[in-house]
Amino acid sequence: MPTGYLRALKRAVTGDPATPLVFLCNFEVEQRWATGFPGLPAPAFSMTGPLVTRMEELGALLAGPDDHLIAQHPLDPGFLDYVRSLGLEPPTVLVTDGPPAESTAARAATSPELLATLRGLAARGARLMPMGLADDGLTLAERSGLPVAAPDLATVVRVNSKIYSRRLVEDTGLRAIPGWCCETVGEFADLMATVGDRCSPDSALVVKDAYGVSGKGLVVLDDPAKARRVVRAATARAKRRDDERLHVVVETWLPKRADLNYQLTVDVHGEVRLDFVKEALTRNGVHMGHISPAELDAGQHDEIRHAADVVGKALHADGFTGVVGVDAVVAADGAVYPVLEINARFNMSTYQGGVLEVLADRLPASLAAQHTLRLSEPMAFADVRTALGPLAEIDPVRGGVVVTCFGTVNAMADRHPGEPFEGRLYFIALGPDRAAVTELAAATRTALDTFTGGAR
């Protein structure tokens, strides 16, 4: 039986809580959205490496027994048994059989056996549920015959721009961090000529690519010389390419008390539901996890609830329905800035909703995190269970730890066979309060490092 969380999601995106879904967990989607919207000059990076690809395993905790999950690799049988032991019923995993490609969607679109299976599912009413719709997902939908449980691609791309987010805030009267939008190098140069000379460590500006993600495409300007260097680099690239496009937002750097992330769902009829509010854990602008409940007073929570309703209704008016993650901040003075950016797609927390529903009845606090493992050889899932020991037993009073993604542990093992490599384990600590889950997360890291030798 699917969780209530999953049934509510299906109702929102398809109108029917029983619709069978084919999940595509394409974590690299923002990189594809950025095509045609240049940000600041920066070294190229890829979000389609083995670690990111194996994160598609997170879908096994969200999808239900009537659903399917597309993956490039089979999921570890021990991990799937573990998911069942948690009280969840995982989906059927469909493994791509096409030649290697830059994304799971692209590989699936050239997988003969998989496409035949998907066409059969389409005939029985299934729909494709991507983390976020991109061009390769649309190709997969067309070749498989699966209707997409998402708005049209142009709408999806448009509403995921940070420029769209900022203009929505300005148009709706929500509290906005002072800042500006730029869509050409000329606009950016003119802006920096006005405000760049005021940059200092105490009065910094942050420049964000319209489709930057996880700290990429983000530059802090804390002195005038740096502002001028960034303008020169952007201008030189524009001349070299004969292309003036530059899609960025520029904002004042705000002293803050906490980063927040909340999720809302906009259904096909325009109804907006606030799913949760969590406190984001970040390091140098990179998302590292989140803790719940967020430390908000009643007034601050009401502001988030109001913003969720405003954002959801505005998105629906612009043609978007589905899951939306919103980043927000509580400033040092306690003021809530409810929309830093809108991510109109699934986020990490989306995939954890079913686990929390099943296990967190008497454990209201949670801390989702990741831990880097330094390994000399691949780990079996049984090794992870052994390493965690009693931490992996969910006590209804004290709590415990849930592994949410195991495939990333050994994702890099084949890069250089026989050599040490880094893996990553995703987990959620559940407990009665924030102090308890913080302690459980720390104990988890220690237990894993002790088991693996803690190599550095």
Side-chain angles (χ1 to χ4, degrees):
M1 181 73 178
T3 62
Y5 175 81
L6 175 59
R7 290 176 61 82
L9 186 154
K10 291 184 176 188
R11 183 185 295 111
V13 298
T14 71
D16 182 352
T19 303
L21 296 178
V22 177
F23 285 83
L24 175 69
C25 304
N26 50 331
F27 278 85
E28 78 290 343
V29 64
E30 279 158 312
Q31 185 172 307
R32 304 192 72 86
W33 288 335
T35 303
F37 300 92
L40 291 175
F45 75 98
S46 174
M47 287 192 65
T48 55
L51 276 170
V52 174
T53 297
R54 294 303 290 265
M55 287 172 67
E56 61 199 10
E57 185 175 289
L58 285 162
L61 277 74
L62 173 60
D66 298 327
D67 302 319
H68 292 73
L69 171 66
I70 298 175
Q72 291 204 45
H73 306 275
L75 272 59
D76 184 277
F79 177 72
L80 287 174
D81 287 342
Y82 169 75
V83 171
R84 295 183 185 97
S85 76
L86 298 174
L88 297 170
E89 299 179 78
T92 300
V93 179
L94 302 175
V95 180
T96 55
D97 56 281
E102 61 180 358
S103 69
T104 298
R107 188 170 186 179
T110 57
S111 296
E113 293 184 18
L114 174 58
L115 286 173
T117 299
L118 296 179
R119 292 185 188 108
L121 293 174
R124 296 197 294 273
R127 300 183 67 175
L128 182 66
M129 184 73 260
M131 177 175 174
L133 182 64
D135 53 350
D136 54 353
L138 195 58
T139 298
L140 173 60
E142 292 169 347
R143 294 183 182 178
S144 66
L146 284 168
V148 182
D152 65 276
L153 180 57
T155 296
V156 170
V157 173
R158 181 165 59 92
V159 302
N160 276 284
S161 168
K162 292 180 178 62
I163 291 175
Y164 174 90
S165 298
R166 181 162 188 85
R167 288 176 174 162
L168 183 151
V169 171
E170 294 169 347
D171 291 344
T172 57
L174 294 171
R175 183 183 290 114
I177 294 176
W180 307 264
C181 299
C182 299
E183 295 183 85
T184 68
V185 172
E187 291 176 354
F188 180 66
D190 289 345
L191 176 63
M192 288 297 103
T194 303
V195 302
D197 287 342
R198 301 201 295 266
C199 294
S200 72
D202 295 325
S203 183
L205 297 172
V206 58
V207 186
K208 304 175 185 178
D209 289 356
Y211 292 94
V213 59
S214 296
K216 305 294 191 299
L218 184 154
V219 175
V220 177
L221 305 179
D222 53 10
D223 71 74
K226 188 172 184 180
R228 290 192 290 271
R229 286 197 300 272
V230 171
V231 170
R232 286 197 298 271
T235 301
R237 185 187 64 182
K239 290 181 178 178
R240 187 169 62 251
R241 297 181 175 179
D242 192 25
D243 185 350
E244 272 280 307
R245 293 175 299 169
L246 180 67
H247 293 259
V248 297
V249 298
V250 181
E251 295 175 340
T252 57
W253 188 263
L254 193 69
K256 60 188 177 183
R257 181 183 302 173
D259 291 295
L260 303 176
N261 176 264
Y262 57 97
Q263 179 175 294
L264 57 108
T265 304
V266 185
D267 75 13
V268 292
H269 305 294
E271 294 298 316
V272 180
R273 183 183 70 245
L274 176 61
D275 297 320
F276 53 73
V277 185
K278 300 184 179 183
E279 189 171 321
L281 306 175
T282 61
R283 184 185 302 155
N284 299 323
V286 178
H287 177 82
M288 302 300 294
H290 44 257
I291 189 168
S292 178
E295 292 186 325
L296 300 174
D297 61 32
Q300 291 168 330
H301 197 277
D302 285 345
E303 287 193 63
I304 294 295
R305 185 174 296 279
H306 169 70
D309 191 61
V310 169
V311 169
K313 285 181 166 53
L315 284 167
H316 187 262
D318 285 338
F320 183 86
T321 57
V323 173
V324 183
V326 184
D327 293 338
V329 69
V330 180
D333 63 1
V336 175
Y337 291 82
V339 182
L340 290 185
E341 64 180 76
I342 297 166
N343 297 297
R345 55 163 173 77
F346 286 13
N347 53 78
M348 290 290 286
S349 294
T350 307
Y351 295 104
Q352 298 156 6
V355 173
L356 296 178
E357 176 186 320
V358 171
L359 297 177
D361 185 34
R362 288 186 288 174
L363 299 169
S366 65
L367 191 159
Q370 62 190 53
H371 183 61
T372 298
L373 300 164
R374 277 79 180 183
L375 302 171
S376 57
E377 60 183 12
M379 289 183 76
F381 185 72
D383 294 332
V384 173
R385 292 296 303 271
T386 299
L388 295 178
L391 290 169
E393 302 298 327
I394 308 299
D395 183 272
V397 177
R398 295 187 301 274
V401 174
V402 177
V403 176
T404 55
C405 186
F406 169 70
T408 46
V409 169
N410 299 316
M412 304 297 289
D414 295 333
R415 277 293 179 91
H416 302 285
E419 296 184 9
F421 62 95
E422 289 190 350
R424 190 182 297 162
L425 184 75
Y426 289 86
F427 65 91
I428 302 176
L430 301 172
D433 52 42
R434 286 170 59 110
V437 296
T438 300
E439 184 177 335
L440 280 167
T444 298
R445 298 178 191 281
T446 299
L448 291 167
D449 285 342
T450 299
F451 184 85
T452 60
R456 289 290 185 269

